[in-house]
Amino acid sequence: LSQIKGVLPALVTPFDENENFDEGRMRAVVDFLINRGVDGLYVTGSTGEAFMMSPEERKRALEVVTDEVKGRVPVIAHIGAISTNLSIDLAKHAEKVGADALSSVPPFYWGFSQDQIVSYYTDITASTGLPMCAYNVPLAGLFGFDLIKKLADIPGVEGIKYTATTHHEIMRIKAEIGTDFIIYSGADEMAMSGLAFGADGIIGSFYNSIPEVYLALNAAVAAGDMEKAKALQEVGNAVIFFTLARNPIAAIKRAMAWQGADAGYCRKPFGNFYTEAEEEKLKDEFRAFKT
Ligand code: NAY
């Protein structure tokens, strides 16, 4: 994971009007983001609507991405599922089709014990030669520092995608686990503090639609220009907080379409902006939006 740093969109998965995976749009989106300078792609995560897709569809989406990327940027494949066997199947496939790293949410829904979560990551990382980035996200149940330490001891677990907002823990991970344990900050609205507290990169939904803001923010933090980073974070947050109140993934997909890469539509029960009138209303609301 030490080779994968910077700004990585948690890639959207384009679906067409009938909710079928849209390979053409997927390829166009990948090129659009690489041309805009992103440092890598995080595929079939929560922003990629993975949990609304069948395993076959997840595999197909990843195949299309790695085929289109052709090694231009690193690809992290999110292979998380509740069943270890299913995750292993997805992980092996990800390795076969050329992903550079794996990531996984912990098994969720039933409230698994720490031992069960450790076994889950141990079994998956043993099944391939790819590095694993564990995924600490409130939606799947936060780890807590003790569990992060246990996960970091598993051979192959080389880092964490840290989507919790307790950024002081980023410092603690670097101090107590080690600076070579790679951390990606996952809350876009706090990208500046994640990076300032020591994260090696940022992975998030809004790097699909406004990557330049965050590429500039990442560079500003690296250069120690906190005034500039703060100003950029404010620009990003205006977009984020507007969007979060309005079917965020669908709105991000339309915002990409307005910029030349039509990312299609979401799967239900997410809503969509299908008509021109709906899109115009969204644009009007955004013009009128004050943070
Ligand atoms: C993924 O797996 O798609 C992600 O990386 C998601 C990261 C996002 N967090 C969640 C909980 O969806 O980008 C963030 C998030 O959309 C943003 O910070 C706005 O809250």
Side-chain angles (χ1 to χ4, degrees), residues 10 42 45-48 135 137 139 161 163 186-189 203-206 240 244:
Y42 186 91
S46 16
T47 307
Y135 188 176
V137 59
L139 292 171
K161 176 156 134 52
T163 303
D188 310 4
E189 55 278 58
I203 298 175
S205 323
F206 286 87
I240 291 171
L244 284 181

Side-chain angles (χ1 to χ4, degrees), residues 30-43:
V30 165
D31 285 329
F32 166 82
L33 290 170
I34 294 177
N35 290 336
R36 287 173 79 173
V38 302
D39 298 301
L41 296 170
Y42 186 91
V43 184

